[in-house]
Amino acid sequence: MAERGAEVVGALMKMGVMANLQQTIDADTAELLVEEFGHKIKRVSASDVEVGLTGGDDKDGELTIRSPVVTVMGHVDHGKTSLLDSLREADVVSGEAGGITQHIGAYQTTTVGGNKITFIDTPGHEAFTAMRSRGASVTDMVVLVVAANDGVMPQTVEAISHAKAANVPIIVAINKVDLPGSDPNRVRTQLLEYEVVSEEMGGDVLDVEVSAIKKTNLEKLIENIVLQAEILDLKTNPDRLAEGTIIESKMEPGRGPVATVLVQRGTLKIGDIFVAGSEWGRVRAMVNDRGGNIKVAGPSVPAEVIGLNAAPNAGDDFVVVEVEARAREIAEFRENKKRAIRTAVSSQSTLEELFSAIQTGESKVLQLLVKADVQGSVEAIVGLLEKLPQDEVKVKIVHQAVGGINESDIQLANASGALVVGFNVRANKQARNLAELEKTEIRYYSVIYELADDMKGVLIGLMAPEIRESFLGNAEIREVFSVSKIGKVAGCYVSEGTVKRGAGVRLIRDDVVLHEGNLSTLKRFKDDVREVQQNYECGMSFENYNDIKAGDVIECFTVEEVAPEI
Ligand code: GDP
């Protein structure tokens, strides 16, 4: 404010706040103080530098159809890589424009009908979830590969949970149908158990029998992807500054940091200045999945970008900004935030974070990931959990399976903010390390009812406690004295009930509440006392508040938090 320190301290004193120049004052007091000096105030927080980083919403008229982005998931060895390879080769424009040869983390193919499809080139759900845990939702649909000779396996189930948690539709590719002993219908029946109901079974999940190796029925799979994309009605505005997500990034000798960006709206151009996570840069060159240099990359087009100052993380956002100063400012702010998080001795567990999210009203769901030793236990636990009363806080099971707790479980739990519950199973070393790193809470049990009771406790903890106020007494202010060191002291007469030290107090003038706070002193004559009864006189003063007058009434009350019951 460019005001003298002594005057600021003086003004604070007048407001009843005793603070010196080194002390921090709360925001409300600061606001009053600034206004007191005749300045205009606007509250900001450090994170405000990010406000308006991504542009506003697009109008309907500005939207055009964009091609879908697909991730292939499934159990190991069921043919994800083979399928991605075959789909890459099925591209129809490869002849003249050169084949899709570069591995940049994603590629875009053109179908016979002229539609384009973008495939994320890292199969499996690790990359998918790692991105999602950074808040990136890149994938529009998941192709779930299930080998027809092997059927639904643990990672198939994990993939289903990951897709469902991300709210992304699934298309099932029943693979290896060329093999003897393959039984596509068995796959369909097995999938029913996980609520993946194919059209043939009366549901709405599209499925195709394919062979990635023999390249049979790939067109049908592509058709289904196009169909699913039509259902999703994917649209975006290509005529604006680009925004997207980092798919992959690395340091390359001779080229420096390179990152593959998947543009999600707008169009990325050479020379654009951008922020990517806590890094920034200017697009010096762009390379596509065919190894060719490109000048622009529109929505759903993956492009390798050269011109970063350092390598960002997969899943980081990528946003083009108008000027370099803005890019620097945001990157710096995010870097500082990262540093603060790294250095903070965090003792917070997922559960505590969850508590605070729920208390601030951000969330009203207790997400759980349940692993147990046998299927019977899984079902019993989920059954019990679902029966818990959930009026205020809902229980949601993000994944349930038999077996030890693995890394993928932790990733999923972390991406969904879930608590991991292990019944007669333990986390393996990698999972433990990851859980420690990500501060994901794992709870172990060996008695089902203990588990249920504990979860009940968690639910109660998550429910807002009821605040009950009880009236204690009223005191009338007869006279006001100024006492050095304490400030103003009210000479009072307790007209009703009792007044107690430590109780909440309100200052009431002409039936209007002027202030609510705490008592700083309660005296009978010269002595500090704990309480004063009706019809006695006493001296009272407020913490940080001095605007009191003879004739005011001080109302005294207690507040009790009553734990809810279920
Ligand atoms: P991923 O672990 O899911 O990526 O599986 P891969 O793509 O590496 O495939 C695992 C094995 O299955 C490889 O030996 C492939 O050759 C084989 N495979 C994949 N798709 C098919 C298929 O459609 N038919 C047959 N017979 N084998 C396949």
Side-chain angles (χ1 to χ4, degrees), residues 74-83 85 123 145 175-179 210-215:
H75 194 69
V76 63
D77 275 350
H78 278 196
K80 299 180 292 288
T81 316
S82 313
L83 188 65
D85 288 345
V145 180
N175 192 30
K176 307 200 188 181
V177 290
D178 56 304
L179 288 181
V210 295
S211 162
I213 295 292
K214 296 253 156 67
K215 304 199 183 9

Side-chain angles (χ1 to χ4, degrees), residues 146-152 172-179 181-191 198 200-201 207-210:
V146 190
N149 60 336
D150 204 17
V152 171
V172 182
I174 304 174
N175 192 30
K176 307 200 188 181
V177 290
D178 56 304
L179 288 181
S182 73
D183 186 352
N185 273 331
R186 188 170 69 111
V187 174
R188 292 190 183 98
T189 320
Q190 286 176 330
L191 286 171
S198 66
E200 239 163 84
M201 298 279 183
D207 72 21
V208 205
E209 294 173 20
V210 295

Side-chain angles (χ1 to χ4, degrees), residues 149-181:
N149 60 336
D150 204 17
V152 171
M153 297 302 274
Q155 284 165 15
T156 317
V157 180
E158 278 173 20
I160 295 171
S161 299
H162 282 266
K164 288 206 165 155
N167 218 355
V168 172
I170 294 173
I171 296 176
V172 182
I174 304 174
N175 192 30
K176 307 200 188 181
V177 290
D178 56 304
L179 288 181

Side-chain angles (χ1 to χ4, degrees), residues 111-128:
T111 69
V112 182
N115 293 298
K116 286 184 161 44
I117 303 173
T118 305
F119 290 96
I120 303 292
D121 208 1
T122 9
H125 48 247
E126 287 77 11
F128 177 79

